Amino acid sequence: LLRELGIAAWPVLVASGWRDGIQRLMPSTACFNHVIVGFELDGQRYFADPTVVGQGGDLERLAAPPFGAGLQIDPATDALLELPPPALAELTLTETFTLDRKCRDGAVDQVLEASGWLADDIRAAILNQGQRQFAKQRADALQQNFPALLPNPESMQIGDDSDGNRIELRSRHSLPTWGQAGRKPPDFFSYGAHGLFLAVETIDPHQQRAQPFLLRHPLRVCHSVVVRGKAVKKQQAGAFTHEGPGFRYRVDVRSRRREVRFDYRWETTAAEIAAEQWPEYCQQRAAALERAGALVHTPPF
């Protein structure tokens, strides 16, 4: 299609598993299991994966396929081609809990924003599942932590900047109580930094590795939990930072009258974890995520 438009374009063979690790292998067609497209326009090289569902971004903000290296099918090719590194992808989830001990006006407002390949992933999930099912799945995940939640999937609003490859989702659900349904609200509100794991990899810390572990990099994930209401007691502000192989983590706690805010921030600092660093990565990651829980005192009047 590109060639018919007068644009120079070539197939590029890539390896979804090995990625740039194919540079360490002996030449063989068995190295490759996927194909993308490379093309030139106005003196610039671009790469695109036509199999990606829901991809956004104009040419300047198109998320490059994250395969590291590939083989361009061209008579002039005599070596592997290095692909551009992926651009920073960001995800921010802000959840505002309004607590009401009278069980009348409690609510949860969620704002989810994403850019880069994370925006592509969310867009693809909405296209594959349908907006209502996607919204229901998000509400169900929240209800696992708050059984009394009254989900409202129809409240989800989507703002999609396709050219800029940014997407924003807003939703609101009723929360009569932050404890068990039908019971008096508890004296403490408890919640975790679950939004981090919308983008950060889940791992098995007992796994033994002989090969590097690939991180989603560069990546920045922020989860903010805001708890407000007459029942919310002011608490001491503070900050916690922790670094380990391939990541940086920070928690900030701020408080004012009738409101406490927890800001969790996770950033990757490397593209992979070497096999010999794997035990330390698991240990330091666990130490960081021990400080990923919001606890707010909400005593009766």
Side-chain angles (χ1 to χ4, degrees):
L1 291 171
L2 288 168
R3 286 174 177 172
E4 286 296 314
L5 292 170
I7 298 171
W10 306 267
V12 180
L13 302 182
V14 294
S16 60
W18 281 98
R19 302 200 175 190
D20 60 350
I22 59 174
Q23 299 178 43
R24 303 192 294 267
L25 303 179
M26 293 293 289
S28 168
T29 54
C31 296
F32 309 104
N33 67 346
H34 190 50
V35 61
I36 61 175
V37 175
F39 62 97
E40 282 189 14
L41 186 65
D42 298 330
Q44 282 288 113
R45 288 297 302 268
Y46 300 97
F47 298 90
D49 186 345
T51 68
V52 174
V53 176
Q55 187 169 41
D58 56 19
L59 286 180
E60 295 304 316
R61 285 163 287 201
L62 186 70
F67 298 111
L71 182 67
Q72 180 170 294
I73 306 303
D74 185 332
T77 294
D78 59 5
L80 291 174
L81 179 68
E82 187 172 335
L83 302 179
L88 173 68
E90 295 183 278
L91 184 143
T92 301
L93 173 64
T94 303
E95 295 182 298
T96 302
F97 294 84
T98 302
L99 307 185
D100 178 16
R101 276 203 161 271
K102 296 180 180 179
C103 303
R104 291 187 303 212
D105 299 322
V108 186
D109 291 278
Q110 294 181 307
V111 181
L112 178 64
E113 301 170 273
S115 67
W117 60 263
L118 283 167
D120 292 340
D121 281 1
I122 292 173
R123 203 178 286 112
I126 294 172
L127 288 170
N128 288 327
Q129 300 174 25
Q131 180 175 330
R132 194 182 190 288
Q133 180 59 31
F134 178 86
K136 181 180 182 302
Q137 191 178 67
R138 295 282 304 128
D140 289 347
L142 189 61
Q143 196 173 37
Q144 289 180 7
N145 294 280
F146 301 98
L149 184 86
L150 301 176
N152 182 15
E154 285 76 15
S155 70
M156 178 173 282
Q157 298 177 339
I158 301 176
D160 191 356
D161 174 9
S162 182
D163 285 349
N165 206 13
R166 302 189 67 88
I167 193 167
E168 178 184 276
L169 312 178
R170 291 179 173 269
S171 58
R172 181 179 176 88
H173 310 287
S174 295
L175 185 69
T177 173
W178 50 103
Q180 294 295 322
R183 298 185 185 179
K184 289 169 50 178
D187 292 346
F188 287 91
F189 171 94
S190 179
Y191 191 48
H194 305 288
L196 297 181
F197 297 101
L198 294 173
V200 177
E201 306 90 339
T202 56
I203 64 169
D204 177 3
H206 304 293
Q207 185 183 53
Q208 302 295 315
R209 296 197 65 86
Q211 296 290 340
F213 180 75
L214 191 68
L215 295 176
R216 295 166 177 169
H217 178 74
L219 173 70
R220 183 182 300 139
V221 190
C222 303
H223 183 186
S224 296
V225 178
V226 182
V227 188
R228 58 173 58 148
K230 291 182 180 180
V232 174
K233 295 283 285 185
K234 190 175 181 179
Q235 66 186 63
Q236 186 175 0
F240 168 76
T241 59
H242 194 83
E243 292 190 36
F247 76 88
R248 183 185 301 119
Y249 178 65
R250 181 180 177 93
V251 182
D252 289 288
V253 181
R254 289 175 285 174
S255 183
R256 62 182 184 180
R257 187 170 180 263
R258 297 181 178 176
E259 181 179 294
V260 183
R261 181 185 180 107
F262 300 82
D263 291 306
Y264 308 96
R265 181 187 180 102
W266 183 280
E267 295 178 90
T268 57
T269 57
E272 64 180 35
I273 301 299
E276 58 270 20
Q277 288 183 301
W278 176 250
E280 185 186 0
Y281 171 74
C282 295
Q283 181 182 357
Q284 297 302 327
R285 174 179 154 133
L289 293 176
E290 283 179 1
R291 300 290 292 269
L295 186 65
V296 180
H297 195 195
T298 55
F301 298 127

